[in-house]
Amino acid sequence: MFTQRPSFRFLATGAVASLFILTFLIISTGTPGTSARYNPKGQPRKQYCAPPANSSAGWEFAVERDGNNYGLSEDQCRIAFPKLYLEIDQFSKLRANKPITYKEFNSRPVDDGMVRGIIDQGELYIVDYAPMPVTASRARATLNSLHRALTAFPDRHLLPSIEFIFTTEDFAEHTTSPGPIWAYSKRDADTSVWLMPDFGYWAWPEVNIGPYSEVRRRIAAIDDGKTAVDGTHVPGLQFQEKKKQLVWRGSLATNPPVRSKLLKSAVGSSWASVRVIDWDDKDDVRFNLLPIEDHCRYMFLAHTEGRSFSGRGKYLLNCRSVVISHALEWREVHHGALVATGPDANYIEVDRDWSDLSRKIDYLIDNPEIAERIANNAVRTFRDRYLTPAAESCYWRQLIRQYSAACDFEPVLFSTGRDGKTQPRAVPYDTWLLMH
């Protein structure tokens, strides 16, 4: 079942119509009657080499210059985002003495909402794309973001080869297989889940949130001002000028225990602007929906988990406002940078039942300088660092490296059938995109 790793690799090319009828230049060394799916590690191959440790000596991250740079070097990523990889570092340690085998990986079926892919020499391939009843835009956004992180990296051909499965659902199901899977969020008990950036880093059209870079521009315009058509500068909204209220808009259906208690804790309070949205009622949506950037006009922003994570969290943390969240069960890629106490606090944590919400809101209103410091910390930590497009791309590439290090196999792009003929196992992403 194993094939020896060939001495050099190649990529399938060609138009859609001829993709599967091309004569391949090199035939897999698997014997007839086998269907090779992977190579065992440990055989000769040009491996990824990290740049020298001093390759970016003296370099410092500057958001104006580097925030939208999708191709920072590995060394620059480590310098800029020291807290970004805490989750995958921890998971890598858990698998240090128990590598992921192909049998373990392959035990997970590609069910609805899942995508199976290969990255080989920095190029993305699609092996399997399951039905997407409600999450098709998420899958495309995630694949586009991953593809962007690869193509922006000059040394992508030296990245390790991996085969992976990710889910576009709010969380990964664990009942069918313990095999490794990439997901947008995870809990402590989710020992098979590797965290990946969520779809919103590309766009989230279902809730009228556009491209992430455009959302960040609109948010920054509210807080920092903007340049008018005639060239004059329109000043932004000062923190102390913001509405001294806690704002939240959303559905109760995705997490009734947590979200209903938020409503109960806020009812009748002058500091509360908390409303439920019925997404199936167009009139209700039109009346209650608040554009994501307009949340930044409020001094306090409530963050609640949904079925798992809530995608709005990263948008709120882009605002120069105080994010107030209940104790979180679900983690996302940027959560390693959250600080709830002390002079570096960049958000406020309350009890999961919101029982101490009123007390903490009153304290912040009575101590506006503390509230403003927390809001400024959030901007420095998240909008200007850990939630930049540069950070997202850095995370994708580090996920590839560390996931590869945890696997004892590498994928192959071609398998050999019983008739001795080779078959491509995957479609190049550029081609797949045109076919779908």
Side-chain angles (χ1 to χ4, degrees):
M1 293 299 293
F2 290 73
T3 64
Q4 300 297 314
R5 182 179 288 106
S7 59
F8 59 90
R9 311 293 293 271
F10 65 94
L11 305 179
T13 60
V16 176
S18 62
L19 177 64
F20 295 105
I21 62 173
L22 289 176
T23 301
F24 297 107
L25 299 177
I26 297 175
I27 298 177
S28 169
T29 56
T31 58
T34 67
S35 183
R37 293 292 185 271
Y38 66 99
N39 285 326
K41 283 188 175 178
Q43 300 185 35
R45 182 181 189 272
K46 189 174 183 180
Q47 296 292 328
Y48 172 80
C49 295
N54 63 351
S55 63
S56 296
W59 181 87
E60 293 184 0
F61 179 82
V63 66
E64 296 83 3
R65 180 193 63 202
D66 307 312
N68 292 320
N69 186 346
Y70 295 100
L72 294 180
S73 71
E74 181 180 356
D75 197 34
Q76 289 172 330
C77 289
R78 284 282 183 183
I79 293 171
F81 316 114
K83 297 180 179 181
L84 186 60
Y85 310 136
L86 296 182
E87 186 63 36
I88 44 179
D89 286 343
Q90 181 180 1
F91 203 86
S92 295
K93 291 178 182 177
L94 292 176
R95 299 300 307 226
N97 298 318
K98 188 182 179 182
I100 299 169
T101 65
Y102 183 79
K103 181 178 180 181
E104 178 186 356
F105 166 77
N106 200 45
S107 68
R108 185 180 287 277
V110 181
D111 295 325
D112 286 1
M114 293 183 182
V115 177
R116 181 166 174 165
I118 288 174
I119 293 171
D120 184 81
Q121 297 190 16
E123 299 294 336
L124 178 61
Y125 297 82
I126 305 301
V127 177
D128 195 0
Y129 184 86
M132 302 280 174
V134 294
T135 59
S137 70
R138 292 185 177 193
R140 290 176 177 274
T142 301
L143 288 168
N144 283 336
S145 291
L146 173 57
H147 186 248
R148 178 175 60 190
L150 292 170
T151 56
F153 192 55
D155 294 327
R156 63 183 178 276
H157 61 289
L158 296 179
L159 287 168
S161 292
I162 61 170
E163 188 160 354
F164 60 92
I165 297 171
F166 73 73
T167 179
T168 60
E169 298 292 344
D170 290 336
F171 52 86
E173 294 285 358
H174 304 283
T175 55
T176 57
S177 167
I181 189 167
W182 297 1
Y184 304 130
S185 62
K186 65 172 293 185
R187 298 162 296 190
D188 289 338
D190 298 332
T191 56
S192 299
V193 178
W194 294 70
L195 278 181
M196 65 176 178
D198 77 68
F199 50 88
Y201 284 98
W202 187 266
W204 193 2
E206 288 81 1
V207 292
N208 299 321
I209 295 179
Y212 185 60
S213 57
E214 173 64 15
V215 174
R216 282 170 50 83
R217 187 193 66 78
R218 297 200 306 264
I219 287 175
I222 289 176
D223 282 333
D224 298 340
K226 60 183 177 181
T227 302
V229 176
D230 61 2
T232 60
H233 180 73
V234 180
L237 186 63
Q238 297 299 306
F239 180 80
Q240 299 301 339
E241 298 172 347
K242 296 190 176 191
K243 298 176 184 178
K244 292 182 174 59
Q245 288 184 305
L246 176 77
V247 66
W248 183 84
R249 301 288 188 272
S251 170
L252 293 183
T254 53
N255 194 334
V258 169
R259 296 185 172 192
S260 62
K261 289 176 182 176
L262 167 62
L263 264 66
K264 183 178 179 180
S265 297
V267 66
S269 299
S270 61
W271 47 258
S273 178
V274 177
R275 298 176 186 170
V276 175
I277 293 178
D278 181 357
W279 291 103
D280 294 324
D281 185 333
K282 293 182 179 179
D283 290 334
D284 188 69
V285 171
R286 184 170 61 252
F287 180 75
N288 286 317
L289 183 65
L290 188 67
I292 196 66
E293 65 271 18
D294 285 346
H295 284 67
C296 304
R297 300 184 185 278
Y298 290 79
M299 193 171 285
F300 309 110
L301 313 177
H303 174 60
T304 64
E305 291 174 332
R307 296 179 65 226
S308 59
F309 78 114
S310 175
R312 87 181 72 195
K314 65 181 175 299
Y315 302 114
L316 301 183
L317 286 168
N318 269 275
C319 296
R320 184 175 281 109
S321 300
V322 179
V323 172
I324 299 178
S325 171
H326 60 76
L328 299 171
E329 291 184 354
W330 295 87
R331 293 200 297 279
E332 300 173 70
V333 298
H334 60 275
H335 282 187
L338 287 170
V339 179
T341 61
D344 295 326
N346 46 43
Y347 83 113
I348 293 293
E349 183 179 273
V350 298
D351 293 337
R352 195 165 176 84
D353 63 359
W354 302 91
S355 58
D356 56 344
L357 174 62
S358 180
R359 174 173 60 83
K360 290 190 175 181
I361 286 283
D362 288 341
Y363 176 82
L364 292 170
I365 291 176
D366 291 341
N367 295 273
E369 73 287 350
I370 293 177
E372 186 168 8
R373 184 186 69 205
I374 294 170
N376 288 333
N377 285 345
V379 168
R380 283 192 295 269
T381 304
F382 294 106
R383 193 189 81 187
D384 291 350
R385 193 168 291 264
Y386 286 94
L387 288 176
T388 57
E392 182 224 0
S393 282
C394 284
Y395 187 96
W396 275 120
R397 292 190 292 270
Q398 192 63 16
L399 173 60
I400 293 166
R401 297 183 190 104
Q402 293 190 230
Y403 175 80
S404 170
C407 294
D408 74 350
F409 70 95
E410 290 180 336
V412 295
L413 289 174
F414 309 98
S415 60
T416 304
R418 294 186 179 277
D419 58 1
K421 296 181 179 180
T422 57
Q423 293 284 344
R425 291 189 57 229
V427 180
Y429 180 67
D430 292 342
T431 301
W432 179 89
L433 197 61
L434 295 177
M435 296 167 60
H436 292 78

